[in-house]
Amino acid sequence: QVQLVESGGGLVQPGGSLRLSCAASGRTLSRYSMAWFRQAPGKEREYVASIRWSGDRGDYAHSVKGRFTISRDNAKNTVYLQMNSLKPEDTAVYYCAAGENGGPLAGLYRYWGQGTQVTVSS
């Protein structure tokens, strides 16, 4: 069993930056693919980014590519999402997820955190 806890959300102005963290406990993350998803009010949960267990490459949704960076520190059992040039449309609850096989589909991930709110507003 893996427990995931997100942190780092908050209120930021358009153009600003935030760094989300996802800390795991219960089992090492080193063999799992990790991902971030987000869900805005009234919308479906959508894929943001994912990274393989090796951490050698991140994959991104088109809407965040070039602005967001996913990374992981297996020694700290933590995954990060650096978000730059934030836009109001990035406002959502951001969820961390872990699964044996990575990819953009939520069904691929077995473990989920409770989410952290990100609000981009002036």
Side-chain angles (χ1 to χ4, degrees):
Q1 194 76 353
V2 175
Q3 292 80 42
L4 302 173
V5 178
E6 302 95 336
S7 62
L11 173 64
V12 62
Q13 292 187 341
S17 298
L18 280 176
R19 188 195 197 201
L20 305 183
S21 298
C22 172
S25 61
R27 187 175 289 182
T28 179
L29 287 182
S30 62
R31 304 300 295 184
Y32 288 96
S33 291
M34 303 296 299
W36 289 94
F37 287 77
R38 66 187 182 186
Q39 188 166 19
K43 294 189 176 181
E44 302 261 325
R45 187 170 298 190
E46 66 172 357
Y47 168 80
V48 175
S50 59
I51 188 167
R52 297 184 298 178
W53 66 268
S54 62
D56 60 343
R57 189 192 79 191
D59 295 304
Y60 301 91
H62 178 75
S63 59
V64 306
K65 200 166 187 177
R67 300 188 297 122
F68 291 10
T69 302
I70 188 171
S71 62
R72 65 190 298 163
D73 186 335
N74 288 337
K76 294 183 178 180
N77 241 17
T78 302
V79 177
Y80 304 98
L81 185 69
Q82 177 67 43
M83 306 186 295
N84 298 330
S85 302
L86 282 161
K87 305 174 181 180
E89 51 263 45
D90 294 317
T91 295
V93 177
Y94 283 71
Y95 297 91
C96 173
E100 285 82 4
N101 300 298
L105 301 177
L108 293 171
Y109 298 90
R110 183 187 304 186
Y111 304 107
W112 291 82
Q114 294 299 307
T116 185
Q117 176 71 46
V118 172
T119 303
V120 185
S121 175
S122 54

